[in-house]
Amino acid sequence: MKMTSLRRRKLGRSGAGLLSVGTLALCLLAASSQVGCSKEAPPPPPPAAPAPPPPPPPPPPPAPAAVKGVSLGKSVGPDKKISAPAETLGVKDTIYASVETTGVGKASVLKAKWTFTDKKGNAVPVNEEAQTVDLDGPATHEFHVSKKTPWPKGAYNVEIFLNDASAAKKTFTIN
């Protein structure tokens, strides 16, 4: 059988077409094998460790010693606080001053100066008492004054000093 030139052309075309597909497949196979054989990229470095938090700020310095207040009455409880506050007292009463302090102060000196105001308006000393205390936060301190004979009626005053500086003053009356 003789192959006609038309058939050869057809065969040549289809053979060429098959060859092209085969060549294409071979190229793709070669390309994919190169991709598969390539080295993998190294893993990314681990993230940097977070910076440690800054240290907390130092505590504030303690507040200096101070007198917060003074209460008067004729009796104190075991906590050194006035049981029944009063600014008018009797002629036979023992008079108590309860002094509240705050802050810190080693070897602080609390002083109570009691005075009577005479008819001319002069302050007449009645009594003076001091206590040396180590203050380390809120505290209550007690001072008192008494008399074997009745108190003269009139206006009185107690002034509280902390380390020789006037810190509080309270006026009261004896009736």
Side-chain angles (χ1 to χ4, degrees), residues 22-146:
T23 304
L24 180 64
L26 188 57
C27 287
L28 287 172
L29 182 61
S32 67
S33 68
Q34 284 182 354
V35 170
C37 290
S38 67
K39 290 185 178 180
E40 290 185 23
V67 172
K68 183 179 176 183
V70 178
S71 300
L72 296 173
K74 47 184 158 180
S75 64
V76 292
D79 58 358
K80 298 182 182 178
K81 293 185 179 182
I82 300 295
S83 304
E87 292 183 14
T88 302
L89 301 151
V91 293
K92 293 185 180 183
D93 289 336
T94 296
I95 303 144
Y96 290 89
S98 179
V99 180
E100 293 182 55
T101 58
T102 60
V104 175
K106 300 296 179 201
S108 297
V109 178
L110 278 174
K111 188 184 318 181
K113 285 186 178 182
W114 304 84
T115 58
F116 169 70
T117 306
D118 67 13
K119 292 180 183 182
K120 295 179 182 178
N122 297 318
V124 177
V126 172
N127 190 26
E128 187 174 310
E129 178 183 358
Q131 300 174 10
T132 301
V133 293
D134 286 334
L135 300 175
D136 191 19
T140 305
H141 313 274
E142 174 264 324
F143 293 95
H144 65 275
V145 65
S146 61

